[in-house]
Amino acid sequence: MPGGRLTSEDRQHIATGLAEGLGYAEIGRRLGRPASTIMREVTRNGGPDDYGADQAHDATRHRARRRKQAQPPAPPLPDSGHGRDPQAVKDFTESFTALLIQQGLPRMEARVLACLYITDSGALTAADLVQRLRVSPASVSNAVAFLEQQGMLSRERVPGARRERYVMDDELWLRSVRTSLQMNDNLVTASQRGAEILGVATPAGARFESSAELLGLMSEALRQVMERWQQNQAARSAQHPDGTEKTSGPPTG
């Protein structure tokens, strides 16, 4: 299938095309493959003068087998003594990562963020992330740099050590809502200005006026949501660890 792995028959066609003096683009067109795929296949298997279909197929299978054998087993996810089902945690982490990707995060950044999010401490070192995600230190470094730039995590020094660890922002979604609110408010102002300049009696002006009304309602709803969330957080903070509420004075009876 186009886009899938090259088969032995595909490689025979490539060898035949090279023998006929065809270019990578023409061979790719006949196979329904990008020219870059043909070029990589030929380059890694001896080049256009020494490419052999059978040898290339055997070499590819050997490389795949070697990579599979070299891949270490995934380390078990610690449950911090809470009796969590490791498989359930793993499945949830994968689904949460997929959701973050759907929201627009690059794959590696989403994996790092999800890995941090499921930890009770909300903090991991680069070595922790490399071990848990089974990726290179460079991949972790690049992902962390992106997330830090976006304000999704921060760095802190590990007490008594020279290492740094990356810390999850517990108010990530609150700050995300605040950012959305600011952008929404800017759109409200711009839409109101557009309606004023174009004239609300015109189709274009009416369009901006309608947009301003909808966006204004959205901003109002977001502010109410944040206010209610902050009230809920304050109420939880006013409780003892055992769940009983603090009182500011003696019982009134």
Side-chain angles (χ1 to χ4, degrees), residues 120-155:
D120 289 310
S121 65
L124 293 170
T125 64
D128 293 332
L129 289 167
V130 167
Q131 181 186 24
R132 293 185 180 212
L133 299 177
R134 293 190 297 168
V135 296
S136 68
S139 296
V140 169
S141 178
N142 292 335
V144 165
F146 175 88
L147 294 171
E148 187 177 21
Q149 185 180 28
Q150 300 300 314
M152 296 181 177
L153 56 77
S154 59
R155 301 170 187 252

Side-chain angles (χ1 to χ4, degrees), residues 1-246:
M1 292 178 62
R5 295 179 179 176
L6 290 170
T7 65
S8 178
E9 184 179 359
D10 290 334
R11 293 187 167 93
Q12 292 290 347
H13 284 302
I14 292 174
T16 300
L18 292 172
E20 294 175 358
L22 301 180
Y24 297 141
E26 178 59 23
I27 296 174
R29 187 187 66 79
R30 294 186 179 189
L31 289 176
R33 305 274 186 162
S36 58
T37 299
I38 308 302
M39 181 180 68
R40 286 194 299 270
E41 165 67 16
V42 174
T43 301
R44 70 163 64 102
N45 291 292
D49 295 330
D50 297 318
Y51 182 84
D54 292 337
Q55 296 92 322
H57 198 64
D58 290 341
T60 300
R61 288 192 299 179
H62 177 70
R63 285 193 294 266
R65 190 182 308 115
R66 186 171 57 191
R67 284 196 299 268
K68 185 175 181 180
Q69 291 173 347
Q71 188 177 38
L77 290 174
D79 68 356
S80 302
H82 294 298
R84 297 168 179 146
D85 180 350
Q87 186 61 46
V89 172
K90 180 177 182 295
D91 292 343
F92 171 74
T93 304
E94 291 176 354
S95 64
F96 188 63
T97 300
L99 179 59
L100 292 175
I101 294 172
Q102 291 176 6
Q103 296 298 315
L105 270 183
R107 177 173 175 77
M108 183 52 62
E109 283 76 356
R111 293 186 67 196
V112 169
L113 190 61
C115 192
L116 280 166
Y117 216 96
I118 66 168
T119 62
D120 289 310
S121 65
L124 293 170
T125 64
D128 293 332
L129 289 167
V130 167
Q131 181 186 24
R132 293 185 180 212
L133 299 177
R134 293 190 297 168
V135 296
S136 68
S139 296
V140 169
S141 178
N142 292 335
V144 165
F146 175 88
L147 294 171
E148 187 177 21
Q149 185 180 28
Q150 300 300 314
M152 296 181 177
L153 56 77
S154 59
R155 301 170 187 252
E156 69 176 21
R157 185 73 63 184
V158 177
R162 298 177 60 185
R163 294 179 302 165
E164 287 184 330
R165 61 183 176 187
Y166 309 116
V167 183
M168 181 75 205
D169 183 357
D170 287 339
E171 294 192 347
L172 169 64
W173 305 125
L174 176 62
R175 293 195 303 102
S176 177
V177 171
R178 283 175 176 162
T179 300
S180 298
L181 177 59
Q182 181 60 56
M183 294 176 62
N184 206 66
D185 286 343
N186 292 340
L187 285 172
V188 171
T189 301
S191 297
Q192 290 172 339
R193 181 62 174 159
E196 178 184 343
I197 292 175
L198 297 170
V200 296
T202 68
R207 186 181 305 120
F208 275 100
E209 183 183 41
S210 177
S211 297
E213 181 182 3
L214 173 61
L215 294 168
L217 291 172
M218 289 175 60
S219 289
E220 181 182 349
L222 285 174
R223 287 190 173 87
Q224 291 176 353
V225 166
M226 287 195 301
E227 181 180 353
R228 181 172 179 181
W229 181 84
Q230 290 168 337
Q231 291 172 349
N232 291 344
Q233 290 295 104
R236 292 190 185 96
S237 298
Q239 291 182 336
H240 289 295
D242 61 1
T244 59
E245 294 186 1
K246 293 180 180 180

